Amino acid sequence: MSGLRQRVVTGAALAAGLLAAILLLPTALFLVLILLVLLLAAWEWTGLMGVDEKPVRLLYLGLCLVLGFVALDHALTMGRLWPVVAGVIWWALVLVLLAVYQPGIVGTGRHALKGVAGVMTLVPACVALLMLHAIQPAWLVFLFLLTACADSAAYFTGKRFGRSKLAPHISPGKTREGLFGALGVTLLLGLAGAWYFEVHLGLWFYFVALCLVTALLSVAGDLFESLMKREAGVKDSGEILPGHGGVMDRIDSVTAAAPVFLFGLLWAGILVR
């Protein structure tokens, strides 16, 4: 099977499976799926950290799982939003890092810092995804649609019109023209989403702006994983998904988008817990 065909087949299967899981699974079972993805992504992250010892990698998985349980318990049972807020703050810091990044700035031997980065990337995203599912699964479908369409629009627009590199030291293939294409599609999706979810007319501008910010953060999530792979000297985070690489290669955008999107919805009162 050719690389492109394999990528399309795997992508279609993932999309169908994800849609079915979101719409058909109760939140308790969706939690199991989220924790499984967390463990797979955390395992791949240890590879990006440059950790080869299996006991250390398993210890890191256990740490992520415990922190995930604690954060989910605080968010879902106690109604505390600190895990989501922590995610928003984290991605604000990542934006600064992406702006000043030069090859080698992260340092190949700083395992502890990279380990913290993995926790902050994965745990708040898992909390946000599960909260969206618990409140209304349709919002989670919309979030994945938003990030997927932004990613596709950026790829095809960049392929056709791309001239100016967006982040040449991190991901030379990404262009500013591609980013503008992603924002254009996001604008249309934001308007459609405001109508579909019956957002109050006075909040339409805010909602569309939130969608645009979410799309921008999804690009930041993609770039941050690219940065980690560049520092690790690898092309993909793993090989579990034929034609796509690893789990992190598929969820990098949504890890950044989910906390910001959920926080923005709750802050404006568009969603109520």
Short mmCIF file of all heavy atoms in Angstrom, two decimals, residues 38-64:
data_model
loop_
_atom_site.label_atom_id
_atom_site.label_comp_id
_atom_site.label_asym_id
_atom_site.label_seq_id
_atom_site.Cartn_x
_atom_site.Cartn_y
_atom_site.Cartn_z
N LEU A 38 -3.64 8.54 27.02
CA LEU A 38 -2.66 9.21 27.88
C LEU A 38 -1.43 8.33 28.07
O LEU A 38 -0.29 8.80 27.96
CB LEU A 38 -3.29 9.54 29.23
CG LEU A 38 -2.33 10.04 30.33
CD1 LEU A 38 -1.71 11.37 29.94
CD2 LEU A 38 -3.07 10.17 31.66
N LEU A 39 -1.64 7.04 28.35
CA LEU A 39 -0.52 6.12 28.58
C LEU A 39 0.31 5.93 27.31
O LEU A 39 1.54 5.93 27.36
CB LEU A 39 -1.05 4.79 29.09
CG LEU A 39 -1.62 4.78 30.51
CD1 LEU A 39 -2.21 3.42 30.85
CD2 LEU A 39 -0.55 5.17 31.52
N LEU A 40 -0.36 5.75 26.18
CA LEU A 40 0.37 5.57 24.92
C LEU A 40 1.19 6.82 24.58
O LEU A 40 2.36 6.72 24.17
CB LEU A 40 -0.61 5.27 23.79
CG LEU A 40 -1.29 3.90 23.83
CD1 LEU A 40 -2.38 3.82 22.75
CD2 LEU A 40 -0.28 2.78 23.64
N ALA A 41 0.57 7.99 24.76
CA ALA A 41 1.27 9.24 24.45
C ALA A 41 2.42 9.47 25.43
O ALA A 41 3.50 9.94 25.03
CB ALA A 41 0.28 10.41 24.51
N ALA A 42 2.22 9.12 26.70
CA ALA A 42 3.29 9.29 27.70
C ALA A 42 4.47 8.38 27.40
O ALA A 42 5.64 8.76 27.56
CB ALA A 42 2.75 9.00 29.10
N TRP A 43 4.18 7.16 26.92
CA TRP A 43 5.25 6.25 26.53
C TRP A 43 6.08 6.84 25.39
O TRP A 43 7.32 6.81 25.40
CB TRP A 43 4.67 4.90 26.14
CG TRP A 43 5.69 3.91 25.69
CD1 TRP A 43 6.07 3.64 24.40
CD2 TRP A 43 6.50 3.07 26.52
NE1 TRP A 43 7.05 2.68 24.37
CE2 TRP A 43 7.34 2.30 25.65
CE3 TRP A 43 6.60 2.88 27.90
CZ2 TRP A 43 8.25 1.38 26.14
CZ3 TRP A 43 7.51 1.94 28.38
CH2 TRP A 43 8.32 1.22 27.51
N GLU A 44 5.39 7.39 24.40
CA GLU A 44 6.10 8.01 23.28
C GLU A 44 6.88 9.23 23.75
O GLU A 44 7.97 9.51 23.24
CB GLU A 44 5.10 8.41 22.19
CG GLU A 44 4.47 7.22 21.48
CD GLU A 44 3.48 7.61 20.42
OE1 GLU A 44 3.20 8.83 20.28
OE2 GLU A 44 2.98 6.72 19.72
N TRP A 45 6.33 9.95 24.71
CA TRP A 45 7.01 11.15 25.20
C TRP A 45 8.35 10.80 25.85
O TRP A 45 9.32 11.54 25.73
CB TRP A 45 6.12 11.90 26.18
CG TRP A 45 6.61 13.30 26.42
CD1 TRP A 45 7.52 13.71 27.35
CD2 TRP A 45 6.23 14.48 25.69
NE1 TRP A 45 7.74 15.07 27.26
CE2 TRP A 45 6.96 15.56 26.25
CE3 TRP A 45 5.35 14.73 24.65
CZ2 TRP A 45 6.82 16.86 25.78
CZ3 TRP A 45 5.21 16.03 24.17
CH2 TRP A 45 5.94 17.08 24.75
N THR A 46 8.41 9.65 26.55
CA THR A 46 9.68 9.26 27.14
C THR A 46 10.74 9.04 26.07
O THR A 46 11.92 9.27 26.29
CB THR A 46 9.52 7.98 27.99
OG1 THR A 46 9.02 6.91 27.16
CG2 THR A 46 8.58 8.20 29.15
N GLY A 47 10.28 8.58 24.89
CA GLY A 47 11.22 8.45 23.78
C GLY A 47 11.73 9.81 23.32
O GLY A 47 12.92 9.97 23.02
N LEU A 48 10.82 10.79 23.27
CA LEU A 48 11.23 12.15 22.89
C LEU A 48 12.15 12.76 23.94
O LEU A 48 12.96 13.63 23.63
CB LEU A 48 9.99 13.02 22.70
CG LEU A 48 9.03 12.60 21.58
CD1 LEU A 48 7.85 13.57 21.50
CD2 LEU A 48 9.74 12.52 20.23
N MET A 49 12.01 12.31 25.20
CA MET A 49 12.88 12.78 26.27
C MET A 49 14.28 12.19 26.16
O MET A 49 15.22 12.68 26.79
CB MET A 49 12.28 12.41 27.64
CG MET A 49 11.03 13.15 28.01
SD MET A 49 10.12 12.35 29.37
CE MET A 49 11.37 12.28 30.65
N GLY A 50 14.41 11.11 25.38
CA GLY A 50 15.70 10.44 25.27
C GLY A 50 15.92 9.40 26.34
O GLY A 50 17.06 9.01 26.61
N VAL A 51 14.84 8.93 26.97
CA VAL A 51 14.94 7.92 28.03
C VAL A 51 14.76 6.55 27.40
O VAL A 51 13.74 6.27 26.76
CB VAL A 51 13.87 8.15 29.11
CG1 VAL A 51 13.91 7.04 30.15
CG2 VAL A 51 14.07 9.51 29.78
N ASP A 52 15.73 5.66 27.62
CA ASP A 52 15.69 4.32 27.03
C ASP A 52 15.38 3.23 28.06
O ASP A 52 14.89 2.15 27.70
CB ASP A 52 17.03 3.99 26.36
CG ASP A 52 17.32 4.92 25.20
OD1 ASP A 52 16.38 5.25 24.45
OD2 ASP A 52 18.49 5.33 25.04
N GLU A 53 15.68 3.49 29.34
CA GLU A 53 15.50 2.47 30.36
C GLU A 53 14.01 2.20 30.59
O GLU A 53 13.26 3.11 30.97
CB GLU A 53 16.15 2.90 31.68
CG GLU A 53 17.65 3.16 31.57
CD GLU A 53 17.96 4.56 31.07
OE1 GLU A 53 17.01 5.30 30.75
OE2 GLU A 53 19.16 4.89 30.97
N LYS A 54 13.59 0.95 30.38
CA LYS A 54 12.18 0.60 30.50
C LYS A 54 11.61 0.89 31.89
O LYS A 54 10.49 1.41 31.99
CB LYS A 54 11.96 -0.86 30.13
CG LYS A 54 10.48 -1.27 30.12
CD LYS A 54 10.27 -2.66 29.58
CE LYS A 54 10.50 -2.71 28.09
NZ LYS A 54 10.11 -4.03 27.50
N PRO A 55 12.30 0.59 33.00
CA PRO A 55 11.75 0.91 34.32
C PRO A 55 11.46 2.40 34.50
O PRO A 55 10.44 2.77 35.09
CB PRO A 55 12.83 0.43 35.30
CG PRO A 55 13.56 -0.63 34.55
CD PRO A 55 13.57 -0.17 33.12
N VAL A 56 12.34 3.24 33.98
CA VAL A 56 12.14 4.69 34.10
C VAL A 56 10.95 5.12 33.25
O VAL A 56 10.14 5.94 33.68
CB VAL A 56 13.41 5.45 33.66
CG1 VAL A 56 13.18 6.96 33.74
CG2 VAL A 56 14.59 5.05 34.52
N ARG A 57 10.82 4.53 32.08
CA ARG A 57 9.69 4.87 31.21
C ARG A 57 8.37 4.45 31.85
O ARG A 57 7.39 5.19 31.80
CB ARG A 57 9.87 4.20 29.84
CG ARG A 57 11.13 4.62 29.11
CD ARG A 57 11.25 3.99 27.73
NE ARG A 57 10.39 4.68 26.77
CZ ARG A 57 10.36 4.39 25.47
NH1 ARG A 57 11.14 3.43 24.99
NH2 ARG A 57 9.56 5.04 24.66
N LEU A 58 8.36 3.25 32.46
CA LEU A 58 7.15 2.78 33.12
C LEU A 58 6.82 3.64 34.34
O LEU A 58 5.64 3.90 34.63
CB LEU A 58 7.31 1.32 33.54
CG LEU A 58 7.36 0.31 32.39
CD1 LEU A 58 7.68 -1.08 32.92
CD2 LEU A 58 6.04 0.29 31.62
N LEU A 59 7.84 4.09 35.05
CA LEU A 59 7.63 4.98 36.19
C LEU A 59 6.99 6.29 35.74
O LEU A 59 6.09 6.82 36.41
CB LEU A 59 8.97 5.25 36.90
CG LEU A 59 8.91 6.13 38.16
CD1 LEU A 59 8.07 5.44 39.23
CD2 LEU A 59 10.31 6.41 38.67
N TYR A 60 7.44 6.79 34.61
CA TYR A 60 6.86 8.03 34.07
C TYR A 60 5.40 7.83 33.68
O TYR A 60 4.56 8.69 33.92
CB TYR A 60 7.67 8.51 32.87
CG TYR A 60 7.23 9.85 32.33
CD1 TYR A 60 7.54 11.02 33.01
CD2 TYR A 60 6.48 9.95 31.15
CE1 TYR A 60 7.14 12.26 32.53
CE2 TYR A 60 6.08 11.18 30.67
CZ TYR A 60 6.41 12.33 31.37
OH TYR A 60 5.99 13.55 30.90
N LEU A 61 5.09 6.67 33.11
CA LEU A 61 3.70 6.36 32.78
C LEU A 61 2.84 6.34 34.03
O LEU A 61 1.73 6.89 34.05
CB LEU A 61 3.61 5.00 32.08
CG LEU A 61 3.52 5.02 30.55
CD1 LEU A 61 4.80 5.58 29.94
CD2 LEU A 61 3.24 3.62 30.00
N GLY A 62 3.37 5.73 35.09
CA GLY A 62 2.63 5.69 36.36
C GLY A 62 2.40 7.08 36.91
O GLY A 62 1.31 7.38 37.43
N LEU A 63 3.42 7.93 36.83
CA LEU A 63 3.28 9.30 37.31
C LEU A 63 2.20 10.05 36.53
O LEU A 63 1.35 10.73 37.12
CB LEU A 63 4.63 10.03 37.16
CG LEU A 63 4.63 11.52 37.50
CD1 LEU A 63 4.30 11.74 38.97
CD2 LEU A 63 5.98 12.15 37.15
N CYS A 64 2.22 9.93 35.22
CA CYS A 64 1.21 10.59 34.39
C CYS A 64 -0.20 10.08 34.71
O CYS A 64 -1.16 10.85 34.78
CB CYS A 64 1.51 10.37 32.90
SG CYS A 64 2.93 11.29 32.28
#
